[in-house]
Amino acid sequence: MRVILPIFQEFPLQTTKYLDFTCFSEAILIKLNSESFGTKKIVRISETDLIKIKNLRANMNSGRLTIDKEQLDNLTKRVYINV
């Protein structure tokens, strides 16, 4: 994950997949910040973090029913059309 995220941050996707990537990266950051990540000790992710990740997952791909203004602004800044 420490390799994939920087690549897509440097070369962002230019379609609605960008919105999926933002959800994915938020979920990864939640996991990285959890106390269980990177330790050999088995610790369950907190229920609150698990709910956040499930909500992010539900908004990916065809699960996204709406796009809020901030997401639309971010998306329109990233779409380039070469003519």
mmCIF file with all atom_site columns, all heavy atoms in Angstrom, residues 27-51:
data_model
loop_
_atom_site.group_PDB
_atom_site.id
_atom_site.type_symbol
_atom_site.label_atom_id
_atom_site.label_alt_id
_atom_site.label_comp_id
_atom_site.label_asym_id
_atom_site.label_entity_id
_atom_site.label_seq_id
_atom_site.pdbx_PDB_ins_code
_atom_site.Cartn_x
_atom_site.Cartn_y
_atom_site.Cartn_z
_atom_site.occupancy
_atom_site.B_iso_or_equiv
_atom_site.pdbx_formal_charge
_atom_site.auth_seq_id
_atom_site.auth_comp_id
_atom_site.auth_asym_id
_atom_site.auth_atom_id
_atom_site.pdbx_PDB_model_num
ATOM 1   N N   . ALA A 1 27 ? -9.766  4.365   3.452  1.00 0.00 ? 27 ALA A N   1
ATOM 2   C CA  . ALA A 1 27 ? -9.855  3.085   4.163  1.00 0.00 ? 27 ALA A CA  1
ATOM 3   C C   . ALA A 1 27 ? -8.467  2.583   4.542  1.00 0.00 ? 27 ALA A C   1
ATOM 4   O O   . ALA A 1 27 ? -8.254  2.086   5.659  1.00 0.00 ? 27 ALA A O   1
ATOM 5   C CB  . ALA A 1 27 ? -10.579 2.057   3.309  1.00 0.00 ? 27 ALA A CB  1
ATOM 6   N N   . ILE A 1 28 ? -7.509  2.737   3.646  1.00 0.00 ? 28 ILE A N   1
ATOM 7   C CA  . ILE A 1 28 ? -6.136  2.321   3.938  1.00 0.00 ? 28 ILE A CA  1
ATOM 8   C C   . ILE A 1 28 ? -5.573  3.146   5.096  1.00 0.00 ? 28 ILE A C   1
ATOM 9   O O   . ILE A 1 28 ? -4.920  2.605   5.995  1.00 0.00 ? 28 ILE A O   1
ATOM 10  C CB  . ILE A 1 28 ? -5.241  2.453   2.689  1.00 0.00 ? 28 ILE A CB  1
ATOM 11  C CG1 . ILE A 1 28 ? -5.671  1.463   1.621  1.00 0.00 ? 28 ILE A CG1 1
ATOM 12  C CG2 . ILE A 1 28 ? -3.770  2.294   3.033  1.00 0.00 ? 28 ILE A CG2 1
ATOM 13  C CD1 . ILE A 1 28 ? -5.561  0.009   2.035  1.00 0.00 ? 28 ILE A CD1 1
ATOM 14  N N   . LEU A 1 29 ? -5.819  4.446   5.077  1.00 0.00 ? 29 LEU A N   1
ATOM 15  C CA  . LEU A 1 29 ? -5.323  5.293   6.164  1.00 0.00 ? 29 LEU A CA  1
ATOM 16  C C   . LEU A 1 29 ? -5.944  4.917   7.504  1.00 0.00 ? 29 LEU A C   1
ATOM 17  O O   . LEU A 1 29 ? -5.262  4.935   8.536  1.00 0.00 ? 29 LEU A O   1
ATOM 18  C CB  . LEU A 1 29 ? -5.573  6.764   5.846  1.00 0.00 ? 29 LEU A CB  1
ATOM 19  C CG  . LEU A 1 29 ? -4.724  7.325   4.702  1.00 0.00 ? 29 LEU A CG  1
ATOM 20  C CD1 . LEU A 1 29 ? -5.137  8.757   4.387  1.00 0.00 ? 29 LEU A CD1 1
ATOM 21  C CD2 . LEU A 1 29 ? -3.252  7.251   5.018  1.00 0.00 ? 29 LEU A CD2 1
ATOM 22  N N   . ILE A 1 30 ? -7.213  4.550   7.495  1.00 0.00 ? 30 ILE A N   1
ATOM 23  C CA  . ILE A 1 30 ? -7.852  4.089   8.733  1.00 0.00 ? 30 ILE A CA  1
ATOM 24  C C   . ILE A 1 30 ? -7.139  2.835   9.221  1.00 0.00 ? 30 ILE A C   1
ATOM 25  O O   . ILE A 1 30 ? -6.816  2.701   10.407 1.00 0.00 ? 30 ILE A O   1
ATOM 26  C CB  . ILE A 1 30 ? -9.357  3.822   8.512  1.00 0.00 ? 30 ILE A CB  1
ATOM 27  C CG1 . ILE A 1 30 ? -10.098 5.140   8.300  1.00 0.00 ? 30 ILE A CG1 1
ATOM 28  C CG2 . ILE A 1 30 ? -9.947  3.059   9.698  1.00 0.00 ? 30 ILE A CG2 1
ATOM 29  C CD1 . ILE A 1 30 ? -11.539 4.976   7.840  1.00 0.00 ? 30 ILE A CD1 1
ATOM 30  N N   . LYS A 1 31 ? -6.875  1.924   8.302  1.00 0.00 ? 31 LYS A N   1
ATOM 31  C CA  . LYS A 1 31 ? -6.188  0.677   8.670  1.00 0.00 ? 31 LYS A CA  1
ATOM 32  C C   . LYS A 1 31 ? -4.764  0.951   9.156  1.00 0.00 ? 31 LYS A C   1
ATOM 33  O O   . LYS A 1 31 ? -4.321  0.371   10.147 1.00 0.00 ? 31 LYS A O   1
ATOM 34  C CB  . LYS A 1 31 ? -6.177  -0.272  7.462  1.00 0.00 ? 31 LYS A CB  1
ATOM 35  C CG  . LYS A 1 31 ? -5.570  -1.602  7.746  1.00 0.00 ? 31 LYS A CG  1
ATOM 36  C CD  . LYS A 1 31 ? -6.390  -2.390  8.725  1.00 0.00 ? 31 LYS A CD  1
ATOM 37  C CE  . LYS A 1 31 ? -5.782  -3.774  8.886  1.00 0.00 ? 31 LYS A CE  1
ATOM 38  N NZ  . LYS A 1 31 ? -6.342  -4.510  9.980  1.00 0.00 ? 31 LYS A NZ  1
ATOM 39  N N   . LEU A 1 32 ? -4.049  1.836   8.470  1.00 0.00 ? 32 LEU A N   1
ATOM 40  C CA  . LEU A 1 32 ? -2.679  2.153   8.880  1.00 0.00 ? 32 LEU A CA  1
ATOM 41  C C   . LEU A 1 32 ? -2.641  2.796   10.256 1.00 0.00 ? 32 LEU A C   1
ATOM 42  O O   . LEU A 1 32 ? -1.688  2.600   11.018 1.00 0.00 ? 32 LEU A O   1
ATOM 43  C CB  . LEU A 1 32 ? -2.012  3.081   7.864  1.00 0.00 ? 32 LEU A CB  1
ATOM 44  C CG  . LEU A 1 32 ? -1.645  2.468   6.524  1.00 0.00 ? 32 LEU A CG  1
ATOM 45  C CD1 . LEU A 1 32 ? -1.158  3.543   5.560  1.00 0.00 ? 32 LEU A CD1 1
ATOM 46  C CD2 . LEU A 1 32 ? -0.603  1.386   6.686  1.00 0.00 ? 32 LEU A CD2 1
ATOM 47  N N   . ASN A 1 33 ? -3.656  3.587   10.560 1.00 0.00 ? 33 ASN A N   1
ATOM 48  C CA  . ASN A 1 33 ? -3.696  4.269   11.853 1.00 0.00 ? 33 ASN A CA  1
ATOM 49  C C   . ASN A 1 33 ? -4.254  3.403   12.974 1.00 0.00 ? 33 ASN A C   1
ATOM 50  O O   . ASN A 1 33 ? -4.198  3.794   14.135 1.00 0.00 ? 33 ASN A O   1
ATOM 51  C CB  . ASN A 1 33 ? -4.506  5.559   11.746 1.00 0.00 ? 33 ASN A CB  1
ATOM 52  C CG  . ASN A 1 33 ? -3.791  6.593   10.915 1.00 0.00 ? 33 ASN A CG  1
ATOM 53  O OD1 . ASN A 1 33 ? -2.578  6.649   10.886 1.00 0.00 ? 33 ASN A OD1 1
ATOM 54  N ND2 . ASN A 1 33 ? -4.549  7.416   10.221 1.00 0.00 ? 33 ASN A ND2 1
ATOM 55  N N   . SER A 1 34 ? -4.785  2.239   12.605 1.00 0.00 ? 34 SER A N   1
ATOM 56  C CA  . SER A 1 34 ? -5.311  1.367   13.654 1.00 0.00 ? 34 SER A CA  1
ATOM 57  C C   . SER A 1 34 ? -4.146  0.752   14.422 1.00 0.00 ? 34 SER A C   1
ATOM 58  O O   . SER A 1 34 ? -3.050  0.581   13.911 1.00 0.00 ? 34 SER A O   1
ATOM 59  C CB  . SER A 1 34 ? -6.194  0.271   13.069 1.00 0.00 ? 34 SER A CB  1
ATOM 60  O OG  . SER A 1 34 ? -5.420  -0.701  12.416 1.00 0.00 ? 34 SER A OG  1
ATOM 61  N N   . GLU A 1 35 ? -4.390  0.418   15.638 1.00 0.00 ? 35 GLU A N   1
ATOM 62  C CA  . GLU A 1 35 ? -3.313  -0.105  16.478 1.00 0.00 ? 35 GLU A CA  1
ATOM 63  C C   . GLU A 1 35 ? -2.880  -1.500  16.066 1.00 0.00 ? 35 GLU A C   1
ATOM 64  O O   . GLU A 1 35 ? -1.798  -1.939  16.419 1.00 0.00 ? 35 GLU A O   1
ATOM 65  C CB  . GLU A 1 35 ? -3.746  -0.114  17.936 1.00 0.00 ? 35 GLU A CB  1
ATOM 66  C CG  . GLU A 1 35 ? -4.978  -0.965  18.202 1.00 0.00 ? 35 GLU A CG  1
ATOM 67  C CD  . GLU A 1 35 ? -5.452  -0.864  19.633 1.00 0.00 ? 35 GLU A CD  1
ATOM 68  O OE1 . GLU A 1 35 ? -4.707  -0.324  20.454 1.00 0.00 ? 35 GLU A OE1 1
ATOM 69  O OE2 . GLU A 1 35 ? -6.560  -1.312  19.920 1.00 0.00 ? 35 GLU A OE2 1
ATOM 70  N N   . SER A 1 36 ? -3.700  -2.196  15.279 1.00 0.00 ? 36 SER A N   1
ATOM 71  C CA  . SER A 1 36 ? -3.362  -3.565  14.916 1.00 0.00 ? 36 SER A CA  1
ATOM 72  C C   . SER A 1 36 ? -2.441  -3.651  13.706 1.00 0.00 ? 36 SER A C   1
ATOM 73  O O   . SER A 1 36 ? -1.823  -4.670  13.479 1.00 0.00 ? 36 SER A O   1
ATOM 74  C CB  . SER A 1 36 ? -4.641  -4.355  14.627 1.00 0.00 ? 36 SER A CB  1
ATOM 75  O OG  . SER A 1 36 ? -5.314  -3.803  13.516 1.00 0.00 ? 36 SER A OG  1
ATOM 76  N N   . PHE A 1 37 ? -2.341  -2.601  12.914 1.00 0.00 ? 37 PHE A N   1
ATOM 77  C CA  . PHE A 1 37 ? -1.559  -2.683  11.682 1.00 0.00 ? 37 PHE A CA  1
ATOM 78  C C   . PHE A 1 37 ? -0.070  -2.666  11.991 1.00 0.00 ? 37 PHE A C   1
ATOM 79  O O   . PHE A 1 37 ? 0.420   -1.850  12.742 1.00 0.00 ? 37 PHE A O   1
ATOM 80  C CB  . PHE A 1 37 ? -1.907  -1.532  10.735 1.00 0.00 ? 37 PHE A CB  1
ATOM 81  C CG  . PHE A 1 37 ? -1.288  -1.689  9.381  1.00 0.00 ? 37 PHE A CG  1
ATOM 82  C CD1 . PHE A 1 37 ? -1.875  -2.520  8.456  1.00 0.00 ? 37 PHE A CD1 1
ATOM 83  C CD2 . PHE A 1 37 ? -0.115  -1.037  9.054  1.00 0.00 ? 37 PHE A CD2 1
ATOM 84  C CE1 . PHE A 1 37 ? -1.311  -2.692  7.203  1.00 0.00 ? 37 PHE A CE1 1
ATOM 85  C CE2 . PHE A 1 37 ? 0.459   -1.201  7.812  1.00 0.00 ? 37 PHE A CE2 1
ATOM 86  C CZ  . PHE A 1 37 ? -0.147  -2.032  6.887  1.00 0.00 ? 37 PHE A CZ  1
ATOM 87  N N   . GLY A 1 38 ? 0.652   -3.563  11.387 1.00 0.00 ? 38 GLY A N   1
ATOM 88  C CA  . GLY A 1 38 ? 2.101   -3.592  11.510 1.00 0.00 ? 38 GLY A CA  1
ATOM 89  C C   . GLY A 1 38 ? 2.623   -4.269  12.764 1.00 0.00 ? 38 GLY A C   1
ATOM 90  O O   . GLY A 1 38 ? 3.819   -4.286  13.000 1.00 0.00 ? 38 GLY A O   1
ATOM 91  N N   . THR A 1 39 ? 1.736   -4.823  13.562 1.00 0.00 ? 39 THR A N   1
ATOM 92  C CA  . THR A 1 39 ? 2.189   -5.543  14.744 1.00 0.00 ? 39 THR A CA  1
ATOM 93  C C   . THR A 1 39 ? 1.928   -7.027  14.542 1.00 0.00 ? 39 THR A C   1
ATOM 94  O O   . THR A 1 39 ? 1.056   -7.418  13.775 1.00 0.00 ? 39 THR A O   1
ATOM 95  C CB  . THR A 1 39 ? 1.447   -5.076  16.018 1.00 0.00 ? 39 THR A CB  1
ATOM 96  O OG1 . THR A 1 39 ? 0.053   -5.393  15.876 1.00 0.00 ? 39 THR A OG1 1
ATOM 97  C CG2 . THR A 1 39 ? 1.614   -3.592  16.236 1.00 0.00 ? 39 THR A CG2 1
ATOM 98  N N   . LYS A 1 40 ? 2.685   -7.832  15.225 1.00 0.00 ? 40 LYS A N   1
ATOM 99  C CA  . LYS A 1 40 ? 2.476   -9.271  15.124 1.00 0.00 ? 40 LYS A CA  1
ATOM 100 C C   . LYS A 1 40 ? 1.359   -9.724  16.049 1.00 0.00 ? 40 LYS A C   1
ATOM 101 O O   . LYS A 1 40 ? 0.849   -10.813 15.920 1.00 0.00 ? 40 LYS A O   1
ATOM 102 C CB  . LYS A 1 40 ? 3.773   -10.001 15.444 1.00 0.00 ? 40 LYS A CB  1
ATOM 103 C CG  . LYS A 1 40 ? 4.831   -9.717  14.399 1.00 0.00 ? 40 LYS A CG  1
ATOM 104 C CD  . LYS A 1 40 ? 6.078   -10.504 14.626 1.00 0.00 ? 40 LYS A CD  1
ATOM 105 C CE  . LYS A 1 40 ? 7.067   -10.084 13.542 1.00 0.00 ? 40 LYS A CE  1
ATOM 106 N NZ  . LYS A 1 40 ? 8.076   -11.030 13.302 1.00 0.00 ? 40 LYS A NZ  1
ATOM 107 N N   . LYS A 1 41 ? 0.997   -8.864  16.966 1.00 0.00 ? 41 LYS A N   1
ATOM 108 C CA  . LYS A 1 41 ? -0.077  -9.175  17.897 1.00 0.00 ? 41 LYS A CA  1
ATOM 109 C C   . LYS A 1 41 ? -1.417  -9.057  17.174 1.00 0.00 ? 41 LYS A C   1
ATOM 110 O O   . LYS A 1 41 ? -1.640  -8.121  16.414 1.00 0.00 ? 41 LYS A O   1
ATOM 111 C CB  . LYS A 1 41 ? -0.018  -8.178  19.058 1.00 0.00 ? 41 LYS A CB  1
ATOM 112 C CG  . LYS A 1 41 ? -0.916  -8.482  20.213 1.00 0.00 ? 41 LYS A CG  1
ATOM 113 C CD  . LYS A 1 41 ? -0.524  -7.612  21.373 1.00 0.00 ? 41 LYS A CD  1
ATOM 114 C CE  . LYS A 1 41 ? -1.680  -6.743  21.763 1.00 0.00 ? 41 LYS A CE  1
ATOM 115 N NZ  . LYS A 1 41 ? -1.382  -5.886  22.886 1.00 0.00 ? 41 LYS A NZ  1
ATOM 116 N N   . ILE A 1 42 ? -2.285  -10.017 17.368 1.00 0.00 ? 42 ILE A N   1
ATOM 117 C CA  . ILE A 1 42 ? -3.590  -9.988  16.721 1.00 0.00 ? 42 ILE A CA  1
ATOM 118 C C   . ILE A 1 42 ? -4.521  -9.094  17.536 1.00 0.00 ? 42 ILE A C   1
ATOM 119 O O   . ILE A 1 42 ? -4.886  -9.412  18.655 1.00 0.00 ? 42 ILE A O   1
ATOM 120 C CB  . ILE A 1 42 ? -4.179  -11.400 16.582 1.00 0.00 ? 42 ILE A CB  1
ATOM 121 C CG1 . ILE A 1 42 ? -3.276  -12.264 15.714 1.00 0.00 ? 42 ILE A CG1 1
ATOM 122 C CG2 . ILE A 1 42 ? -5.584  -11.339 16.026 1.00 0.00 ? 42 ILE A CG2 1
ATOM 123 C CD1 . ILE A 1 42 ? -3.687  -13.711 15.634 1.00 0.00 ? 42 ILE A CD1 1
ATOM 124 N N   . VAL A 1 43 ? -4.860  -7.960  16.933 1.00 0.00 ? 43 VAL A N   1
ATOM 125 C CA  . VAL A 1 43 ? -5.770  -7.013  17.569 1.00 0.00 ? 43 VAL A CA  1
ATOM 126 C C   . VAL A 1 43 ? -6.833  -6.682  16.535 1.00 0.00 ? 43 VAL A C   1
ATOM 127 O O   . VAL A 1 43 ? -6.520  -6.353  15.400 1.00 0.00 ? 43 VAL A O   1
ATOM 128 C CB  . VAL A 1 43 ? -5.035  -5.714  17.988 1.00 0.00 ? 43 VAL A CB  1
ATOM 129 C CG1 . VAL A 1 43 ? -5.994  -4.732  18.607 1.00 0.00 ? 43 VAL A CG1 1
ATOM 130 C CG2 . VAL A 1 43 ? -3.899  -6.041  18.934 1.00 0.00 ? 43 VAL A CG2 1
ATOM 131 N N   . ARG A 1 44 ? -8.062  -6.777  16.944 1.00 0.00 ? 44 ARG A N   1
ATOM 132 C CA  . ARG A 1 44 ? -9.152  -6.470  16.010 1.00 0.00 ? 44 ARG A CA  1
ATOM 133 C C   . ARG A 1 44 ? -9.267  -4.970  15.807 1.00 0.00 ? 44 ARG A C   1
ATOM 134 O O   . ARG A 1 44 ? -9.054  -4.193  16.723 1.00 0.00 ? 44 ARG A O   1
ATOM 135 C CB  . ARG A 1 44 ? -10.464 -7.023  16.549 1.00 0.00 ? 44 ARG A CB  1
ATOM 136 C CG  . ARG A 1 44 ? -10.500 -8.534  16.567 1.00 0.00 ? 44 ARG A CG  1
ATOM 137 C CD  . ARG A 1 44 ? -11.833 -9.013  17.054 1.00 0.00 ? 44 ARG A CD  1
ATOM 138 N NE  . ARG A 1 44 ? -12.907 -8.453  16.232 1.00 0.00 ? 44 ARG A NE  1
ATOM 139 C CZ  . ARG A 1 44 ? -13.650 -9.159  15.392 1.00 0.00 ? 44 ARG A CZ  1
ATOM 140 N NH1 . ARG A 1 44 ? -13.429 -10.437 15.271 1.00 0.00 ? 44 ARG A NH1 1
ATOM 141 N NH2 . ARG A 1 44 ? -14.602 -8.589  14.703 1.00 0.00 ? 44 ARG A NH2 1
ATOM 142 N N   . ILE A 1 45 ? -9.629  -4.600  14.590 1.00 0.00 ? 45 ILE A N   1
ATOM 143 C CA  . ILE A 1 45 ? -9.870  -3.196  14.300 1.00 0.00 ? 45 ILE A CA  1
ATOM 144 C C   . ILE A 1 45 ? -11.117 -2.771  15.083 1.00 0.00 ? 45 ILE A C   1
ATOM 145 O O   . ILE A 1 45 ? -12.027 -3.573  15.290 1.00 0.00 ? 45 ILE A O   1
ATOM 146 C CB  . ILE A 1 45 ? -10.034 -2.986  12.779 1.00 0.00 ? 45 ILE A CB  1
ATOM 147 C CG1 . ILE A 1 45 ? -10.039 -1.516  12.431 1.00 0.00 ? 45 ILE A CG1 1
ATOM 148 C CG2 . ILE A 1 45 ? -11.258 -3.663  12.249 1.00 0.00 ? 45 ILE A CG2 1
ATOM 149 C CD1 . ILE A 1 45 ? -9.879  -1.233  10.959 1.00 0.00 ? 45 ILE A CD1 1
ATOM 150 N N   . SER A 1 46 ? -11.152 -1.535  15.520 1.00 0.00 ? 46 SER A N   1
ATOM 151 C CA  . SER A 1 46 ? -12.279 -1.081  16.337 1.00 0.00 ? 46 SER A CA  1
ATOM 152 C C   . SER A 1 46 ? -13.575 -1.102  15.532 1.00 0.00 ? 46 SER A C   1
ATOM 153 O O   . SER A 1 46 ? -13.570 -0.988  14.302 1.00 0.00 ? 46 SER A O   1
ATOM 154 C CB  . SER A 1 46 ? -12.022 0.330   16.866 1.00 0.00 ? 46 SER A CB  1
ATOM 155 O OG  . SER A 1 46 ? -12.138 1.274   15.828 1.00 0.00 ? 46 SER A OG  1
ATOM 156 N N   . GLU A 1 47 ? -14.666 -1.244  16.222 1.00 0.00 ? 47 GLU A N   1
ATOM 157 C CA  . GLU A 1 47 ? -15.984 -1.286  15.580 1.00 0.00 ? 47 GLU A CA  1
ATOM 158 C C   . GLU A 1 47 ? -16.262 0.016   14.826 1.00 0.00 ? 47 GLU A C   1
ATOM 159 O O   . GLU A 1 47 ? -16.815 0.008   13.719 1.00 0.00 ? 47 GLU A O   1
ATOM 160 C CB  . GLU A 1 47 ? -17.072 -1.542  16.630 1.00 0.00 ? 47 GLU A CB  1
ATOM 161 C CG  . GLU A 1 47 ? -18.425 -1.831  16.047 1.00 0.00 ? 47 GLU A CG  1
ATOM 162 C CD  . GLU A 1 47 ? -18.490 -3.151  15.280 1.00 0.00 ? 47 GLU A CD  1
ATOM 163 O OE1 . GLU A 1 47 ? -17.762 -4.092  15.635 1.00 0.00 ? 47 GLU A OE1 1
ATOM 164 O OE2 . GLU A 1 47 ? -19.274 -3.217  14.320 1.00 0.00 ? 47 GLU A OE2 1
ATOM 165 N N   . THR A 1 48 ? -15.842 1.136   15.402 1.00 0.00 ? 48 THR A N   1
ATOM 166 C CA  . THR A 1 48 ? -16.029 2.435   14.753 1.00 0.00 ? 48 THR A CA  1
ATOM 167 C C   . THR A 1 48 ? -15.275 2.496   13.437 1.00 0.00 ? 48 THR A C   1
ATOM 168 O O   . THR A 1 48 ? -15.822 2.926   12.416 1.00 0.00 ? 48 THR A O   1
ATOM 169 C CB  . THR A 1 48 ? -15.538 3.570   15.676 1.00 0.00 ? 48 THR A CB  1
ATOM 170 O OG1 . THR A 1 48 ? -16.201 3.458   16.926 1.00 0.00 ? 48 THR A OG1 1
ATOM 171 C CG2 . THR A 1 48 ? -15.807 4.925   15.072 1.00 0.00 ? 48 THR A CG2 1
ATOM 172 N N   . ASP A 1 49 ? -14.015 2.060   13.439 1.00 0.00 ? 49 ASP A N   1
ATOM 173 C CA  . ASP A 1 49 ? -13.219 2.061   12.214 1.00 0.00 ? 49 ASP A CA  1
ATOM 174 C C   . ASP A 1 49 ? -13.778 1.085   11.182 1.00 0.00 ? 49 ASP A C   1
ATOM 175 O O   . ASP A 1 49 ? -13.781 1.367   9.992  1.00 0.00 ? 49 ASP A O   1
ATOM 176 C CB  . ASP A 1 49 ? -11.758 1.731   12.514 1.00 0.00 ? 49 ASP A CB  1
ATOM 177 C CG  . ASP A 1 49 ? -11.027 2.885   13.183 1.00 0.00 ? 49 ASP A CG  1
ATOM 178 O OD1 . ASP A 1 49 ? -11.538 4.025   13.115 1.00 0.00 ? 49 ASP A OD1 1
ATOM 179 O OD2 . ASP A 1 49 ? -9.956  2.652   13.764 1.00 0.00 ? 49 ASP A OD2 1
ATOM 180 N N   . LEU A 1 50 ? -14.264 -0.039  11.643 1.00 0.00 ? 50 LEU A N   1
ATOM 181 C CA  . LEU A 1 50 ? -14.847 -1.016  10.740 1.00 0.00 ? 50 LEU A CA  1
ATOM 182 C C   . LEU A 1 50 ? -16.095 -0.451  10.060 1.00 0.00 ? 50 LEU A C   1
ATOM 183 O O   . LEU A 1 50 ? -16.281 -0.623  8.850  1.00 0.00 ? 50 LEU A O   1
ATOM 184 C CB  . LEU A 1 50 ? -15.194 -2.295  11.500 1.00 0.00 ? 50 LEU A CB  1
ATOM 185 C CG  . LEU A 1 50 ? -15.661 -3.472  10.658 1.00 0.00 ? 50 LEU A CG  1
ATOM 186 C CD1 . LEU A 1 50 ? -14.603 -3.864  9.640  1.00 0.00 ? 50 LEU A CD1 1
ATOM 187 C CD2 . LEU A 1 50 ? -15.989 -4.651  11.552 1.00 0.00 ? 50 LEU A CD2 1
ATOM 188 N N   . ILE A 1 51 ? -16.909 0.265   10.791 1.00 0.00 ? 51 ILE A N   1
ATOM 189 C CA  . ILE A 1 51 ? -18.105 0.896   10.210 1.00 0.00 ? 51 ILE A CA  1
ATOM 190 C C   . ILE A 1 51 ? -17.698 1.955   9.188  1.00 0.00 ? 51 ILE A C   1
ATOM 191 O O   . ILE A 1 51 ? -18.291 2.042   8.107  1.00 0.00 ? 51 ILE A O   1
ATOM 192 C CB  . ILE A 1 51 ? -18.989 1.500   11.319 1.00 0.00 ? 51 ILE A CB  1
ATOM 193 C CG1 . ILE A 1 51 ? -19.623 0.374   12.131 1.00 0.00 ? 51 ILE A CG1 1
ATOM 194 C CG2 . ILE A 1 51 ? -20.058 2.424   10.743 1.00 0.00 ? 51 ILE A CG2 1
ATOM 195 C CD1 . ILE A 1 51 ? -20.316 0.836   13.403 1.00 0.00 ? 51 ILE A CD1 1
#
